[in-house]
Amino acid sequence: MSRNDALRAARLRVGWRTAEQAATRLTEHGQRLLMGRHFTVSARTWRRWEGGCPGWPPEETALVIHDALGRWPEDLGFTTPPGWLRPERQEGEQVTRCAFVSVTAAALVPGPVSPQYVDPALIGYFEQQLEGHYRADMFLGPHDLIGTVSAQYQLIDKLLRSAQGETRRGLLRAGAAYAALVGWLYQDAGDLNGAAFWRGVTQEIALRSREPHLVGYALVNQAQVRTDLGDGHAVLDLCEAALENSSRMVPKVRVMALQQQAHGASLTGDRTAVDRLIDQANALLPQVDDDLPWGNACRRTPAYLEVQRATCYGRLGLGHEAVSLWDQILTSVPDTARRDCGVYLARHATAAANAGEPEQAWEIARPAVQIAAETRSARMRGELRTLQRAMRPWQDAPVGQALLETLAGVTEGN
């Protein structure tokens, strides 16, 4: 079999009957793998690859080909460049440099760029778009938005290199909010490395803006990643640093820092501090009246602080107390917050299991599984894996088996 026949055989093996279909399917696969819409392969390119002597594809493309077809380009007739070493699996995890390139590309564009006039009206445009992205995130989950929001951050970064005065300061504020949203999307997608990188970008641009509100907001964003890593002491450190300048920050940022500090306290087993910090945040909530376009979950989310308290109680193993709170909270969740509802249901089910109510846990979890499948939220899958661990005492009972069947497929992967 000649080399070009190897690629043709590989595409036929996966059901891609023509070069046009292969190009379309590889493009779709690459956009999912790289979590962005920049990746494309044309039918003309594919036909050239199946020619007598194809060259070597770009590194991202080589990794997408391997992920889609299960073989590296050197095994599919491509001419291997000198010094190329194929990535191998290390301790069961594939080394994918393409993921790093994809994560950092929008934030690390080399400059300078050609000067251009930057209209101040663009600030309002980006702020309006930001609100739309927040709403879309509630419906779509992270994967369909990462590419779009990253591209807009990249445009803001480009404009910042020409903007002056108040226009520049407004774009810095918008850029910090966009970077924070990209970081959140990576976090929800289960990529904590990507999330940590973009939280760092948020911190950098917040410091450049010299706005205490944004610096505090960026620190809370970094604390969120540390919460997902289970590093309670780091969460406390970051939130305490944010609150050092609390007199210069709007109440909203102080609320965010206090509730995140409560999560850190729950990770260190301090139930008293959890209640104290949530109560302090609750006293500040009526004072939140700013018009900043970012960080508005405390106003947008019904029972926002009780959600945090219930989550902390669940983490502390206070099953009965958490169940009681979730029973109240879930009656106020709107249909538009479907992804959040799925997370809450998974946490509610875990609390029921910790309270010794496995049948109730299974019933609560069933709709959460459907929402997890729809949104592809890694955060929700993580909550369901926590539920799975909480149900281990009943793993051989019918209810435990029923739960395993319900969770099959959804809790696999990252």
Side-chain angles (χ1 to χ4, degrees):
M1 177 181 288
S2 63
R3 284 187 167 185
N4 55 330
D5 288 337
L7 180 61
R8 181 175 183 274
R11 72 163 165 82
L12 291 174
R13 192 178 303 117
V14 296
W16 300 347
R17 300 184 61 82
T18 65
E20 288 75 12
Q21 186 181 30
T24 299
R25 295 290 180 266
L26 192 69
T27 294
E28 293 170 349
H29 190 92
Q31 290 178 355
R32 287 193 299 270
L33 180 67
L34 302 175
M35 293 186 290
R37 301 190 182 280
H38 68 280
F39 180 86
T40 57
V41 171
S42 68
R44 180 180 179 183
T45 297
W46 189 282
R47 283 192 290 269
R48 176 169 55 79
W49 288 347
E50 288 194 11
C53 189
W56 187 253
E59 185 171 6
E60 276 192 356
T61 306
L63 289 160
V64 172
I65 289 171
H66 175 265
D67 198 75
L69 301 178
R71 300 176 69 186
W72 291 107
E74 65 177 333
D75 300 322
L76 295 171
F78 290 82
T79 304
T80 307
W84 185 78
L85 297 174
R86 72 165 69 189
E88 298 292 350
R89 291 184 177 274
Q90 298 178 355
E91 297 179 359
E93 293 186 4
Q94 185 180 351
V95 178
T96 54
R97 288 182 61 196
C98 68
F100 178 77
V101 171
S102 177
V103 166
T104 63
L108 299 177
V109 177
V113 298
S114 300
Q116 66 182 105
Y117 171 70
V118 182
D119 195 297
L122 285 168
I123 299 169
Y125 162 77
F126 285 117
E127 289 179 348
Q128 291 171 6
Q129 292 288 308
L130 186 66
E131 180 58 34
H133 294 322
Y134 289 143
R135 289 197 301 269
D137 175 47
M138 294 172 67
F139 292 105
L140 296 174
H143 299 280
D144 293 319
L145 282 178
I146 285 176
T148 300
V149 182
S150 298
Q152 286 198 291
Y153 173 84
Q154 189 175 51
L155 175 57
I156 292 171
D157 180 60
K158 175 176 177 286
L159 294 172
L160 276 168
R161 302 182 191 199
S162 298
Q164 302 290 328
E166 287 301 319
T167 302
R168 176 178 174 77
R169 281 186 281 275
L171 287 174
L172 283 167
R173 291 192 294 268
Y178 272 82
L181 178 54
V182 177
W184 158 248
L185 293 171
Y186 274 109
Q187 190 170 344
D188 195 33
D191 185 349
L192 292 185
N193 291 327
F197 171 83
W198 278 95
R199 300 310 198 191
V201 173
T202 306
Q203 185 69 31
E204 177 205 313
I205 200 165
L207 288 168
R208 288 165 60 191
S209 77
R210 295 176 176 81
E211 287 208 2
H213 316 305
L214 278 172
V215 173
Y217 178 55
L219 287 167
V220 173
N221 273 259
Q222 290 178 318
Q224 288 175 351
V225 176
R226 285 292 166 179
T227 298
D228 278 9
L229 291 170
D231 188 351
H233 292 290
V235 176
L236 295 173
D237 290 339
L238 288 163
C239 292
E240 287 169 3
L243 290 165
E244 280 182 356
N245 292 318
S246 61
S247 62
R248 301 177 62 198
M249 296 189 307
V250 292
K252 177 171 67 183
V253 178
R254 290 154 63 191
V255 168
M256 295 175 67
L258 287 166
Q259 63 83 20
Q260 200 64 44
Q261 193 174 5
H263 286 286
S266 72
L267 286 165
T268 61
D270 191 344
R271 189 247 172 96
T272 301
V274 167
D275 285 326
R276 173 176 51 80
L277 290 163
I278 295 292
D279 289 344
Q280 287 178 9
N282 195 48
L284 284 170
L285 203 54
Q287 301 176 34
V288 176
D289 61 355
D290 60 84
D291 58 357
L292 298 171
W294 44 263
N296 288 312
C298 63
R299 289 190 285 204
R300 187 172 54 239
T301 306
Y304 171 76
L305 289 173
E306 292 312 300
V307 167
Q308 314 312 317
R309 195 192 304 269
T311 302
C312 290
Y313 280 5
R315 196 178 285 125
L316 287 163
L318 304 173
H320 292 289
E321 293 93 330
V323 166
S324 178
L325 283 173
W326 287 122
D327 284 340
Q328 300 171 47
I329 291 164
L330 284 160
T331 61
S332 64
V333 179
D335 293 338
T336 54
R338 184 163 176 76
R339 198 263 321 277
D340 285 346
C341 182
V343 172
Y344 300 164
L345 286 168
R347 292 174 181 171
H348 190 189
T350 299
N354 288 333
E357 299 291 345
E359 288 82 7
Q360 183 186 8
W362 176 58
E363 289 294 336
I364 294 169
R366 292 166 68 181
V369 172
Q370 179 62 35
I371 297 171
E374 291 171 1
T375 62
R376 294 179 292 155
S377 167
R379 184 171 62 120
M380 201 181 308
R381 291 201 304 271
E383 297 289 351
L384 291 171
R385 283 194 289 269
T386 300
L387 167 63
Q388 200 168 358
R389 291 192 293 272
M391 288 286 286
R392 280 176 182 165
W394 302 278
Q395 61 185 0
D396 296 324
V399 67
Q401 292 299 310
L403 179 74
L404 287 175
E405 291 176 11
T406 302
L407 297 180
V410 177
T411 55
E412 294 174 2
N414 294 325

